């Protein structure tokens, strides 16, 4: 096994790729996540990006660890919090075994636990519309099919009827996920638990799931299957290979790689963090709000393009309007200055969208991972006469301590502290 962290480059000795490995590493989807380059003398150069997880090649296994978090279990907690759910309480050491568990095994464990609860509760049944040739009429007789296939026969009747069965999409999705976990989990304990669940789901839902994209598009939640949501979410994550942004992407990569885009995850996590922190403040947190009128083409008198900040906090404070754009960046700006491109984008948000009570300086916040006690940077744009027009403030989130506080008694205090730092 080769271990590296996000954004790290490592050269590995004595590794020769198989033809299947070369085909996989040459695919555009994998190259966008981790770059694998063959060097002379059976060496590999591995360059990781902002993706966490595992890639299983014939020659070796590549494990990419988070850079700004403590363990891969923290990534799992971020996934649950970003989805609007309570942080999972897993007995990981007892279930997975010794050593730090892989992220893929943790997701396989979550799938298995959720499916075990569904089995204990009793899997859902629903009516399926079936067509079959029967010795007696059941449901509705199909005249066209009867004439074509059984003309002149009365012992075989083409019928369409409803069957109350467990072999439905809700159960097929769960069955496919635990079956994959049983075959591919690295931990023997996880494989054993998933195998037992997969055996039971194979009995109640023997039909193959088929295309994952079609299956997920066909899901419809209501009061009868609302309790399947959590299991389905983990199942989709495992079956898609960890694709938060490109969940529906097809291909062999999903079977041999499980990689989560931390850029997308951090954005979803920070957005929900701000939503919870804003509760009771009277201010509104909107994500990805569109503003097409900011950039205007004077020649055509039409919108030139839209401006869309990651988060826009708006409302009134003491009767005065407040509007605070927040740009979320999964970059560690503790030791380096914010990139010029990030500053230019944030200044545009501040100039066009920000409003500060009492005629204060319009401000945009750059929210990113960082140290717990890092002093905040503040950069302003000065006019020709030396007066400031807009400000960009850098605010860091120490993700391990924030995640730890969200699980305990310090949750309210942590949310209040984050909210105060963004509005300061």
């Amino acid at each position: 096994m080769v271990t590296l962290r996000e954004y790290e480059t490592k050269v590995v000795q004595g590794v020769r790729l198989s033809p299947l490995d070369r085909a996989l590493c040459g695919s555009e989807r994998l190259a966008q996540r981790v770059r694998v380059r063959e060097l002379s003398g059976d060496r590999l150069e591995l360059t990781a990006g902002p993706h966490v997880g595992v890639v299983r090649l014939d020659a070796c296994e590549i494990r990419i660890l988070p850079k700004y978090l403590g363990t891969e279990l923290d990534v799992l907690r971020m996934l649950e919090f970003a989805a609007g759910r309570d942080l999972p309480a897993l007995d990981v050491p007892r279930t997975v075994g010794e050593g730090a568990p892989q992220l893929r095994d943790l997701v396989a464990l979550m799938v298995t636990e959720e499916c075990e609860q569904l089995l204990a509760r009793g899997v859902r049944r629903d009516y399926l519309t079936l067509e079959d040739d029967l010795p007696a009429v059941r449901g509705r007789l199909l005249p066209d099919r009867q004439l074509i296939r059984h003309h002149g026969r009365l012992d075989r009747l083409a019928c369409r009827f409803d069957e109350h069965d467990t072999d439905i999409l809700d159960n097929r999705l769960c069955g496919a996920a635990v079956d994959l976990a049983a075959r591919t989990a690295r931990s023997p304990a996880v494989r054993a638990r998933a195998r037992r669940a997969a055996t039971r789901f194979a009995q109640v839902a023997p039909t193959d799931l088929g295309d994952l994209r079609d299956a997920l598009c066909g899901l419809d939640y209501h009061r009868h299957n609302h309790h399947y949501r959590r299991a389905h979410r983990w199942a989709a994550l495992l079956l898609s290979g960890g694709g938060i942004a490109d969940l529906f992407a097809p291909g062999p990569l999903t079977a041999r790689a499980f990689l989560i885009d931390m850029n997308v995850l951090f954005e979803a996590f920070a957005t929900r963090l701000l939503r919870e922190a804003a509760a009771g403040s009277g201010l509104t947190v909107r994500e990805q709000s569109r503003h097409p009128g900011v950039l205007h083409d004077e020649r055509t008198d039409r919108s030139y393009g839209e401006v869309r900040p990651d988060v826009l906090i708006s409302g009134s404070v003491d009767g005065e309007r407040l509007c605070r754009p927040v740009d979320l960046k999964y970059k560690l700006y503790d030791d380096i200055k914010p990139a010029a491109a990030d500053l230019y984008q944030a200044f545009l948000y501040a100039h066009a969208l920000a409003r500060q009570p009492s005629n204060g300086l319009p401000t945009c916040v750059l929210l990113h991972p960082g140290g717990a006690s890092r002093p905040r940077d503040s950069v302003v744009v000065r006019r020709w006469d030396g007066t400031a027009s807009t400000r960009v403030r850098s605010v860091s989130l120490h993700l391990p301590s924030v995640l730890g506080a969200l699980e305990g008694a310090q949750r309210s205090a942590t949310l209040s502290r984050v909210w105060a730092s963004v509005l300061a």
Side-chain angles (χ1 to χ4, degrees):
M1 179 187 293
V2 181
T3 301
L4 65 162
R5 292 193 177 272
E6 296 172 89
Y7 301 107
E8 182 182 356
T9 297
K10 181 178 289 189
V11 176
V12 185
Q13 306 284 343
V15 178
R16 177 177 296 179
L17 298 180
S18 69
L20 184 59
D21 289 342
R22 292 191 181 95
L24 182 65
C25 294
S27 67
E28 183 179 354
R29 288 191 62 218
L30 183 60
Q32 293 172 349
R33 292 155 175 78
V34 55
R35 187 163 64 91
V36 180
R37 190 163 70 97
E38 287 188 275
L39 305 177
S40 60
D42 291 341
R43 295 179 301 153
L44 286 183
E45 182 186 74
L46 307 176
T47 303
H51 288 79
V52 171
V54 62
V55 180
R56 291 178 178 172
L57 304 176
D58 294 336
C60 65
E61 184 172 288
I62 304 170
R63 186 178 182 183
I64 304 174
L65 301 177
K67 184 175 182 179
Y68 307 145
L69 289 169
T71 66
E72 289 163 293
L73 184 58
D74 290 331
V75 179
L76 192 75
R77 294 189 173 104
M78 284 185 69
L79 282 167
E80 278 294 81
F81 183 81
R85 298 174 175 86
D86 294 333
L87 302 180
L90 291 174
D91 190 1
V92 174
R94 180 181 64 83
T95 305
V96 178
E98 297 181 357
Q102 290 185 358
L103 180 59
R104 193 180 192 280
D105 277 12
L106 290 172
V107 174
L109 178 57
M110 290 298 299
V111 170
T112 303
E113 288 199 348
E114 294 296 331
C115 289
E116 287 173 342
Q117 294 177 22
L118 292 174
L119 289 168
R121 177 175 177 171
V123 296
R124 178 174 171 263
R125 293 175 177 268
D126 202 355
Y127 285 100
L128 298 174
T129 300
L130 305 176
E131 293 184 2
D132 200 1
D133 299 328
L134 305 176
V137 175
R138 180 181 179 187
R140 178 185 175 188
L141 183 67
L142 302 177
D144 294 344
R145 177 170 169 172
Q146 180 69 26
L147 288 172
I148 294 173
R149 301 183 61 176
H150 308 296
H151 178 65
R153 296 184 60 178
L154 297 179
D155 59 331
R156 304 301 295 172
L157 303 175
C159 301
R160 179 182 292 134
F161 56 94
D162 291 334
E163 183 77 54
H164 197 229
D165 200 358
T166 58
D167 191 11
I168 57 177
L169 179 58
D170 288 339
N171 296 324
R172 292 172 191 168
L173 181 58
C174 293
V178 289
D179 177 69
L180 182 63
R183 291 185 286 106
T184 59
R186 187 178 183 87
S187 166
V190 175
R191 286 201 308 271
R193 287 181 63 178
R195 192 178 301 115
R196 290 192 292 269
T199 300
R200 295 184 61 186
F201 269 104
Q203 295 170 352
V204 300
T207 303
D208 184 69
L209 176 65
D211 184 72
L212 177 62
R213 180 179 195 149
D214 292 340
L216 295 177
C217 290
L219 290 174
D220 181 26
Y221 293 104
H222 42 77
R223 64 185 181 90
H224 296 296
N225 69 343
H226 181 75
H227 58 290
Y228 273 78
R229 275 185 180 272
R230 193 178 175 102
H232 286 169
R233 179 175 178 273
W234 291 113
L237 189 64
L238 182 65
L239 291 169
S240 67
I244 297 289
D246 54 346
L247 182 64
F248 302 138
L253 183 62
T254 57
R256 305 188 66 187
F258 186 88
L259 296 167
I260 290 179
D261 189 340
M262 294 300 294
N263 283 314
V264 178
L265 178 56
F266 176 74
E267 183 176 322
F269 173 82
T271 300
R272 191 203 163 187
L273 191 71
L274 293 177
R275 283 189 184 281
E276 290 219 352
S281 67
L283 299 175
T284 302
V285 175
R286 291 186 295 163
E287 59 180 303
Q288 298 292 330
S289 58
R290 299 172 182 268
H291 304 271
V294 172
L295 301 178
H296 192 77
D297 190 330
E298 291 185 319
R299 182 180 64 84
T300 62
D301 196 27
R302 294 181 179 178
S303 174
Y304 188 82
E306 67 179 19
V307 171
R308 187 168 57 181
D310 294 326
V311 172
L312 188 65
I313 301 171
S314 60
S316 61
V317 176
D318 297 330
E320 296 187 80
R321 179 165 176 74
L322 169 72
C323 192
R324 176 65 53 86
V326 181
D327 198 20
L328 306 175
K329 296 295 183 185
Y330 185 68
K331 299 178 180 179
L332 192 63
Y333 281 142
D334 274 2
D335 303 320
I336 60 174
K337 295 180 179 179
D342 294 342
L343 283 176
Y344 298 157
Q345 184 181 42
F347 278 126
L348 175 60
Y349 294 156
H351 173 76
L353 304 176
R355 297 292 182 273
Q356 189 74 13
S358 302
N359 295 320
L361 200 61
T363 301
C364 176
V365 169
L366 199 63
L367 189 63
H368 58 87
S373 58
R374 178 183 179 276
R376 302 186 187 95
D377 289 334
S378 182
V379 183
V380 299
V381 171
R382 291 184 179 273
R383 302 184 182 92
W384 63 271
D385 60 356
T387 60
S389 61
T390 52
R391 174 188 293 118
V392 171
R393 291 181 54 254
S394 174
V395 175
S396 62
L397 283 180
H398 188 245
L399 293 178
S401 61
V402 169
L403 282 168
L406 290 175
E407 296 180 279
Q410 297 298 315
R411 183 186 184 104
S412 297
T414 299
L415 291 173
S416 298
R417 186 165 57 251
V418 170
W419 189 244
S421 65
V422 170
L423 291 185

